[in-house]
């Protein structure tokens, strides 16, 4: 799910070349997906829109999130293949911090639809944009720690149990319900298989990601491991502390009062030079309450992937920290 905020097209998540496989079958119980105009639009991604589907009946049913190929891309097979691939992967996943599979079926207009658990009406990116628009600063440290723990748990499940690299971690792909009542990872359409060494198994596989969140090894065609997700995870924490897009923080400060984007004012060379590096963070403004999250951010955004912690190690430390009575004390120590 992506925010509607205007940023250059180059930052949009590109489409992953899909493998040709037989499509996943729809669920046994017939599912009727309404036409798009009869559902509330929740967000959009590359080639797809996401809608809220309220289900009616004699019993109370929880709503679903419906990912549907948008009209402009409906005739492009690559998007349907990508959606089918995502459905196959999602159907095999079951974790409280990952949006659940519900059905893969065909809408009345003939388009393929992926029905998912409704993880929340807003993405974390939506929450960041809202907070920014209200003139607020960083999220409270306790909220960032909660998001950090829940997302790390989801990544630990993907990496350790399912041997999958999410491949596009960022605030847009985390959905929030209520006042951070639930926190779930979504959009696993560009995931990659990992081997026992946590490396991508297919030599022909291509890491997609989204440019500002991509680690150096992805930008330079290096070896891709689970630590690629950890780098992007670290930048997601940075988003919550700065309310900015990684490596576009200078642009953000210049356009706070102007929704337009002037390409002539964008220093493309400086932007590309910053990609894959750790963006600056004003720790003095944040204060001591954010110490643990600042340290975690720094550890996760080490340029050398081997120096980044695993998702399992992050969960271990954050769960220990969550048990501390004094949230402002203690520090993350990951060797």
């Amino acid at each position: 799910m992506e925010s509607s905020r205007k940023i250059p097209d180059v930052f949009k998540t590109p489409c992953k070349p899909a493998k040709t496989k037989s499509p996943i079958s729809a669920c046994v119980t017939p599912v009727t997906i309404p036409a798009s105009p009869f559902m509330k639009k929740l967000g959009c991604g590359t080639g797809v829109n996401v809608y809220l589907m309220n289900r009616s009946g004699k019993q109370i049913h929880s709503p679903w999130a419906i990912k549907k190929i948008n009209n402009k891309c409906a005739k492009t097979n690559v998007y349907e293949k990508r959606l089918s691939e995502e459905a196959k992967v999602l159907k095999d996943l079951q974790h409280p911090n990952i949006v659940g599979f519900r059905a893969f079926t065909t809408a009345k207009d003939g388009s393929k639809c992926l029905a998912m658990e409704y993880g929340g009406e807003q993405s974390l990116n939506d929450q960041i944009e809202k907070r920014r628009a209200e003139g607020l600063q960083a999220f409270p440290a306790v909220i960032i720690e909660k998001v950090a723990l829940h997302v790390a748990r989801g990544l630990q499940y993907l990496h350790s149990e399912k041997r999958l690299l999410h491949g596009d971690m960022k605030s847009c792909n985390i959905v929030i319900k209520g006042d951070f009542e639930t926190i779930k990872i979504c959009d696993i359409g560009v995931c990659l298989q990992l081997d026992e060494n946590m490396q991508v198994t297919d030599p022909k596989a291509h890491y997609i990601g989204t440019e500002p969140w991509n680690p150096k090894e992805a930008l330079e065609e290096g070896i891709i491991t689970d630590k690629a997700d950890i780098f992007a995870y670290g930048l997601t924490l940075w988003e919550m502390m700065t309310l900015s897009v990684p490596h576009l923080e200078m642009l953000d400060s210049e356009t706070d009062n102007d929704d337009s984007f002037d390409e002539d004012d964008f220093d493309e060379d400086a932007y590309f030079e910053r990609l894959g590096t750790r963006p600056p963070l004003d720790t003095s403004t944040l204060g001591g309450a954010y110490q643990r999250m600042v340290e975690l951010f720094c550890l996760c955004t080490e340029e050398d992937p081997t120096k980044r912690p695993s998702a399992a190690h992050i969960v271990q430390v954050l769960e220990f920290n969550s048990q501390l009575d004094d949230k402002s004390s203690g520090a993350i120590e990951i060797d």
Side-chain angles (χ1 to χ4, degrees):
M1 184 180 295
E2 296 187 8
S3 165
S4 59
R5 182 181 177 207
K6 296 180 180 177
I7 58 175
D9 288 343
V10 69
F11 307 132
K12 293 181 180 178
T13 307
C15 176
K16 172 186 176 183
K19 299 177 183 179
T20 303
K21 294 183 180 179
S22 58
I24 190 172
S25 59
C27 60
V28 176
T29 304
V31 177
T32 302
I33 305 296
S36 300
F38 296 97
M39 295 186 289
K40 179 181 179 180
K41 188 174 180 179
L42 296 175
C44 60
T46 305
V48 297
N49 294 325
V50 181
Y51 301 91
L52 175 63
M53 175 182 163
N54 289 308
R55 299 186 298 147
S56 59
K58 294 181 179 180
Q59 297 179 340
I60 298 175
H61 297 283
S62 60
W64 285 353
I66 306 296
K67 182 177 285 190
K68 187 176 181 182
I69 300 171
N70 65 38
N71 293 333
K72 294 181 180 179
C73 301
K75 296 181 180 180
T76 306
N77 292 334
V78 67
Y79 292 105
E80 184 172 316
K81 290 179 181 178
R82 177 177 170 180
L83 192 64
S84 176
E85 189 71 17
E86 180 176 1
K88 290 177 185 178
V89 175
L90 193 62
K91 190 176 183 181
D92 190 45
L93 303 180
Q94 188 171 1
H95 189 273
N97 295 120
I98 296 177
V99 167
F101 172 88
R102 293 296 180 264
F104 185 64
T105 187
T106 305
K108 287 185 176 181
D109 59 8
S111 63
K112 292 294 183 181
C113 296
L114 172 58
M116 303 169 290
E117 171 191 11
Y118 174 58
E121 189 164 323
Q122 288 192 320
S123 69
L124 177 59
N125 182 259
D126 292 330
Q127 294 267 12
I128 290 171
E129 291 297 329
K130 178 182 178 182
R131 193 171 183 85
R132 182 185 180 92
E134 293 173 350
L136 301 174
Q137 300 300 316
F139 284 84
V142 66
I143 293 296
I144 300 177
E145 290 193 27
K146 183 176 183 179
V147 171
L149 176 56
H150 285 255
V151 174
R153 284 171 175 165
L155 289 178
Q156 179 186 15
Y157 171 77
L158 288 176
H159 297 169
S160 301
E161 294 191 36
K162 295 300 181 179
R163 291 288 192 268
L164 288 174
L165 181 79
H166 181 278
D168 196 15
M169 279 305 307
K170 56 185 177 181
S171 60
C172 294
N173 289 335
I174 299 170
V175 287
I176 308 296
K177 182 178 289 185
D179 187 18
F180 291 89
E181 295 162 16
T182 64
I183 301 159
K184 296 176 183 283
I185 297 171
C186 65
D187 202 353
I188 48 84
V190 294
C191 67
L192 298 173
Q193 196 70 47
L194 298 169
D195 62 17
E196 63 277 5
N197 297 316
M198 291 295 178
Q199 294 185 8
V200 172
T201 56
D202 185 355
K204 296 181 180 180
H206 179 60
Y207 180 89
I208 300 298
T210 304
E211 203 168 63
W213 289 264
N214 286 1
K216 187 76 71 175
E217 63 266 25
L219 298 165
E220 297 179 350
E221 298 184 358
I223 297 174
I224 302 299
T225 68
D226 60 316
K227 302 301 180 62
D229 274 349
I230 299 302
F231 185 89
Y233 164 86
L235 291 186
T236 303
L237 303 182
W238 181 90
E239 289 183 79
M240 296 189 73
M241 289 186 277
T242 64
L243 309 185
S244 300
V245 176
H247 310 302
L248 291 180
E249 58 275 6
M250 295 303 295
L251 179 64
D252 287 339
S253 64
E254 294 170 2
T255 59
D256 280 345
N257 299 318
D258 184 2
D259 290 335
S260 63
F261 175 75
D262 188 347
E263 292 186 6
D264 293 334
D265 294 334
F266 180 62
D267 190 340
E268 187 174 353
D269 291 336
Y271 163 73
F272 282 111
E273 186 177 346
R274 291 195 299 265
L275 289 177
T277 67
R278 179 187 297 143
L281 183 62
D282 186 353
T283 56
S284 60
T285 300
L286 287 171
Y290 293 84
Q291 181 182 351
R292 292 201 296 242
M293 290 300 96
V294 170
E295 291 178 357
L296 180 57
F297 153 70
C298 290
L299 287 165
C300 292
T301 52
E302 287 280 358
E303 186 171 322
D304 182 352
T306 63
K307 294 182 179 180
R308 300 172 204 153
S310 66
H313 201 169
I314 294 171
V315 169
Q316 180 184 11
V317 175
L318 291 181
E319 287 183 343
F320 172 77
N321 284 341
S322 69
Q323 297 172 5
L324 298 178
D325 294 331
D326 186 355
K327 286 289 184 177
S328 64
S329 66
I332 294 176
E333 297 180 0
I334 301 180
D335 297 326

